Amino acid sequence: FLVYRFGTGFEVFNSSLTSLHITDPIQRLTISLSKISLSMYLFLDHLIWLSSSGFINLNHMNNELAQNSNRFWLFSIMLNLCRDVYEILEYIKARAQSSLSHNINYINELLYIHKSLAFDFFKNFCDFWIPLNSLGYVKISPEKIGLLGTISSVIAIIQLIDPSCRL
């Protein structure tokens, strides 16, 4: 269990290196930095877990570690949202240049034909509020945070089950 738990952060960091080969500079920047930030979040989360499990003594730093962990998580989500918005705008721009652009509702087409982008955007949108609340930037009730987390988790499960929903 420990090896799997700690391996995730290294796997995410390693995937940031492979994202450096993406040709689109906006996607390369947002994806690479998002994965680096996510790996830092996971590293700090592992330290918090080790401390709360009694493996190491970092009790004097747990609050600071949690704050920094949430900052890295928030930065990762913000970069993912930037990438999603960029891809949506690129899609709309491409559709506007096509001859069919007058008769197509972009949002419906995006939801049905490019559902992977829509799923990713909505999952990131739901996740966005959780670290914002933890960091004290917004005040959201625990029930709403739980609902946002549940929606995000359901979307993530759907993405695991149906590869066409993965970005």
Side-chain angles (χ1 to χ4, degrees):
F1 175 73
L2 283 174
V3 173
Y4 177 74
R5 179 173 175 86
F6 294 114
T8 306
F10 292 113
E11 182 181 333
V12 171
F13 181 76
N14 190 43
S15 69
S16 72
L17 299 176
T18 61
S19 66
L20 293 174
H21 302 293
I22 297 172
T23 56
D24 184 299
I26 302 293
Q27 288 184 359
R28 181 176 53 242
L29 180 70
T30 56
I31 292 170
S32 298
L33 289 178
S34 171
K35 289 182 181 204
I36 290 169
S37 184
L38 184 60
S39 69
M40 291 302 298
Y41 157 74
L42 290 170
F43 175 72
L44 293 175
D45 187 58
H46 297 334
L47 289 178
I48 294 167
W49 182 82
L50 285 169
S51 179
S52 66
S53 298
F55 289 107
I56 58 176
N57 184 9
L58 297 174
N59 292 333
H60 61 286
M61 296 177 56
N62 272 354
N63 190 39
E64 184 179 335
L65 288 173
Q67 292 292 342
N68 286 327
S69 175
N70 279 316
R71 285 184 188 107
F72 279 116
W73 185 27
L74 177 61
F75 187 60
S76 175
I77 295 167
M78 289 170 57
L79 287 165
N80 288 338
L81 281 169
C82 288
R83 182 203 62 228
D84 291 341
V85 169
Y86 170 75
E87 289 187 27
I88 290 168
L89 292 175
E90 287 294 303
Y91 170 76
I92 290 172
K93 187 169 41 171
R95 293 303 292 152
Q97 295 173 355
S98 75
S99 60
L100 300 173
S101 65
H102 302 300
N103 299 326
I104 293 180
N105 182 339
Y106 298 132
I107 301 299
N108 285 338
E109 185 175 319
L110 185 67
L111 289 174
Y112 293 111
I113 297 174
H114 300 284
K115 63 183 176 182
S116 61
L117 183 55
F119 271 81
D120 196 64
F121 176 79
F122 288 121
K123 182 177 83 54
N124 288 324
F125 182 78
C126 289
D127 283 341
F128 176 71
W129 301 100
I130 299 169
L132 272 181
N133 185 64
S134 294
L135 291 167
Y137 295 130
V138 296
K139 295 292 179 205
I140 301 174
S141 71
E143 295 83 11
K144 289 178 185 166
I145 290 294
L147 178 63
L148 290 169
T150 301
I151 292 169
S152 173
S153 295
V154 168
I155 292 172
I157 290 169
I158 291 170
Q159 289 176 317
L160 283 173
I161 294 171
D162 183 359
S164 70
C165 295
R166 267 183 246 153
L167 189 59

